[in-house]
Amino acid sequence: MSRLQVVSGKGGTGKTTVAAALALALATEGKRTLLVEVEGRQGIAQLFETEALPYEERKIAVAPGGGEVYALAIDPELALLDYLQMFYKLGSAGRALKKLGAIDFATTIAPGLRDVLLTGKACEAVRRKERSGRFAYDYVVMDAPPTGRITRFLNVNDEVAGLAKIGPIHNQAQAVMRVLKSPETAVHLVTLLEEMPVQETVDGIAELRSARLPVGRIIVNMVRPEVLDETDLELVRTVPRSTVARSLSSAGLGGARRGGHAERLVDPLLAQAEEYAERYTLEHEQRAVLAELGLPLHELPLFAEGMDLAGLYELARELREQGVS
């Protein structure tokens, strides 16, 4: 497995949930994982039912087998202060710039610089080693921006081309790109079995490949259970209404006489079956589209009652069983 796992996806597909579950899955059996958030939404804190994350690495969960998950919410302004201190030793002068609003101004007029800072912090965590020579983290998982801008976000070398041809910013971008375009990195896309998310996934993968960024896996999230198969659906399409009514009556759901309770249930049940058949066909069509991309494909179940911490651990178990970790 690549040491930097980047998770993206169309909004609403649950990419933050998948990133969190992946971090738990990778931390199994004594591993240590850092889960990084770059969009400032504090989605990780909500999933792990903890207080808002500061700009520091904090342990938020213990995985099966004693592994640990740490989390970091990267603040672009504070990351820039780190950068100024690292390369220019500005110290208190850098903090004064923040008070004057210069930091916010810099990251606003130069959005490429902002992405360098965000990706650079994650890449630094990937490369960081302890005194013993061991990596500080076995894996770093980034909850990245949505599919529509993931390639531009990761392709920071192009982003800073107009900012600096030489110097520390240029060198930092080069160092980041060496990690992002290496086997150390894998970019996973989260989707649903729906037409728009699947099409955005197809487009996103094409953009990533064009930029020579390493595409990892496709993770289909919130997959509803299969209630009826092809044989069942064919039976629903061909069986007479009267036969359905008699079957309902035999099951104790009212008399078979016309206008009886069983008779009144037939149309709603057949309508529901028809709706399911349409969804079944659509989902199988979308699976076929994803399969054509030639990437490892994984599916995670829908939790009808919503996601909680127990559900997050369940998703992590699903990912482990499917060989993602």
Side-chain angles (χ1 to χ4, degrees):
M1 289 290 289
S2 300
R3 296 189 58 249
L4 175 58
Q5 307 276 314
V6 180
V7 181
S8 182
K10 179 177 169 56
T13 59
K15 70 176 179 64
T16 299
T17 300
V18 172
L22 179 59
L24 276 171
L26 292 170
T28 303
E29 302 302 332
K31 298 291 195 301
R32 181 184 291 179
T33 301
L34 176 65
L35 178 58
V36 175
E37 182 176 76
V38 298
E39 294 186 282
R41 296 185 295 106
Q42 290 292 338
I44 291 172
Q46 294 174 31
L47 282 169
F48 284 94
E49 300 174 5
T50 186
E51 60 187 20
L53 297 174
Y55 181 57
E56 64 183 35
E57 293 159 22
R58 170 185 293 177
K59 186 167 77 171
I60 58 171
V62 176
E68 298 174 327
V69 176
Y70 286 73
L72 171 66
I74 303 178
D75 182 307
E77 290 189 2
L78 295 177
L80 183 52
L81 287 178
D82 282 351
Y83 175 85
L84 293 173
Q85 173 60 21
M86 183 183 306
F87 291 106
Y88 297 103
K89 309 299 182 185
L90 287 185
S92 58
R95 290 189 291 275
L97 288 173
K98 175 175 171 57
K99 290 181 179 179
L100 291 171
I103 304 297
D104 183 56
F105 178 72
T107 54
T108 299
I109 65 170
L113 175 59
R114 181 181 184 277
D115 289 348
V116 169
L117 295 168
L118 294 172
T119 54
K121 191 69 177 178
C123 290
E124 181 277 325
V126 171
R127 297 189 301 260
R128 190 191 314 157
K129 290 186 177 181
E130 299 174 339
R131 289 184 178 178
S132 63
R134 176 190 170 182
F135 283 113
Y137 295 102
D138 296 288
Y139 299 101
V140 175
V141 178
M142 180 193 293
D143 177 22
T147 316
R149 75 179 194 93
I150 185 62
T151 300
R152 184 176 179 183
F153 173 77
L154 294 176
N155 209 18
V156 293
N157 198 40
D158 289 344
E159 286 295 295
V160 300
L163 294 174
K165 303 295 184 182
I166 58 173
I169 294 178
H170 174 81
N171 294 338
Q172 173 77 347
Q174 291 286 325
V176 168
M177 291 312 301
R178 281 195 293 272
V179 174
L180 293 179
K181 291 194 174 184
S182 77
E184 283 190 286
T185 300
V187 184
H188 310 302
L189 295 187
V190 181
T191 187
L192 306 178
L193 288 175
E194 298 174 4
E195 191 171 356
M196 287 185 64
V198 167
Q199 185 58 53
E200 190 160 315
T201 298
V202 171
D203 295 341
I205 289 171
E207 290 179 3
L208 288 165
R209 286 173 168 167
S210 178
R212 298 183 180 178
L213 289 162
V215 184
R217 303 165 185 263
I218 299 171
I219 301 174
V220 183
N221 196 25
M222 294 186 272
V223 177
R224 287 171 283 196
E226 191 170 283
V227 180
L228 305 175
D229 59 20
E230 288 280 6
T231 303
D232 296 328
L233 290 172
E234 181 61 29
L235 185 62
V236 168
R237 284 190 288 265
T238 58
V239 69
R241 291 181 76 265
S242 58
T243 302
V244 177
R246 284 195 298 271
S247 297
L248 290 171
S249 180
S250 299
L253 294 175
R257 64 182 177 78
R258 187 165 185 79
H261 185 56
E263 179 76 19
R264 292 195 299 272
L265 287 175
V266 173
D267 287 337
L269 282 174
L270 291 178
Q272 190 173 10
E274 183 177 350
E275 179 181 330
Y276 176 84
E278 291 177 359
R279 177 166 63 83
Y280 179 93
T281 300
L282 172 64
E283 290 180 349
H284 277 255
E285 289 173 350
Q286 299 311 309
R287 277 193 182 96
V289 172
L290 294 172
E292 290 177 359
L293 295 170
L295 294 169
L297 187 62
H298 306 276
E299 296 191 4
L300 295 176
L302 170 68
F303 287 82
E305 296 181 359
M307 181 56 57
D308 57 12
L309 192 55
L312 199 59
Y313 275 85
E314 176 65 19
L315 289 184
R317 185 186 63 80
E318 287 276 353
L319 288 171
R320 290 196 303 273
E321 289 182 353
Q322 294 182 37
V324 172
S325 61

